Amino acid sequence: MTRRDMLTLLALALVAGCSDDAPRTLVRGEDSCAYCRMTIDDVRFGALVLTDRGRLQTFDSIECAASWVAAQTPAHEPRAIWVANFADPSQWVDATRAVYLQGSRLRSPMGRDLVAFATDADPEALQRAHGGTAITWPGIQALVAVPASAPIGTSGNESPDAHSH
């Protein structure tokens, strides 16, 4: 291999390593939440957002990611939002397609008790196993629009976008 070939390979490796346009594993105890600034301790509740500028933001909870997204202007709408699959935190799920539970026995770090599962998860089976209410991404967006101390229903909905499963 020539010196030029080696330099080309090195340059390609550096470019690939600097790319933040795909999900990556959250690092427990090292990554921090872009919204609340807490260190991420439990990756099962984590989320990632790819910004409009191609930066990857890390979050310790689904509600922090949803709150951060809600604070963005339409001109800075994220390119992608992923949530960790609670059953397999190394698997990222498109936030708009994930199956969520809210208020289950699975206690999330920020108190809204939101947890995500793969798109093919059965909401009824999850509710039987963990309790809580099935909710969609638009429901989560409505939920974070209400202050955390306000009871559900203050926004005019008993349970934001809950499934009737």
Side-chain angles (χ1 to χ4, degrees):
M1 183 179 284
T2 68
R3 179 180 161 98
R4 182 178 178 181
D5 291 338
M6 286 177 53
L7 288 174
T8 301
L9 284 175
L10 178 62
L12 288 172
L14 287 172
V15 169
C18 293
S19 176
D20 281 342
D21 61 356
R24 67 162 178 84
T25 303
L26 291 175
V27 181
R28 182 182 179 272
E30 289 184 27
D31 283 327
S32 62
C33 179
Y35 186 72
C36 72
R37 304 290 180 222
M38 288 179 60
T39 300
I40 298 173
D41 287 327
D42 193 340
V43 298
R44 299 175 301 169
F45 299 99
L48 294 170
V49 174
L50 182 62
T51 70
D52 64 316
R53 295 178 186 244
R55 284 199 67 213
L56 200 57
Q57 299 287 349
T58 58
F59 298 90
D60 67 338
S61 70
I62 296 162
E63 53 265 44
C64 280
S67 296
W68 187 89
V69 168
Q72 304 308 301
T73 64
H76 296 289
E77 191 168 317
R79 292 183 194 173
I81 307 164
W82 298 283
V83 291
N85 175 0
F86 184 86
D88 179 4
S90 66
Q91 178 189 29
W92 291 105
V93 183
D94 178 335
T96 63
R97 298 182 55 228
V99 174
Y100 297 96
L101 287 181
Q102 193 258 327
S104 73
R105 290 181 290 277
L106 306 171
R107 302 292 181 203
S108 68
M110 297 309 292
R112 296 282 183 136
D113 297 328
L114 292 169
V115 61
F117 294 91
T119 58
D120 61 352
D122 179 359
E124 291 175 358
L126 292 171
Q127 286 176 287
R128 283 191 302 275
H130 306 291
T133 304
I135 188 170
T136 63
W137 182 249
I140 289 170
Q141 291 174 307
L143 184 67
V144 300
V146 177
S149 60
I152 301 254
T154 337
S155 65
N157 298 331
E158 284 303 309
S159 178
D161 200 27
H163 291 288
S164 58
H165 294 292

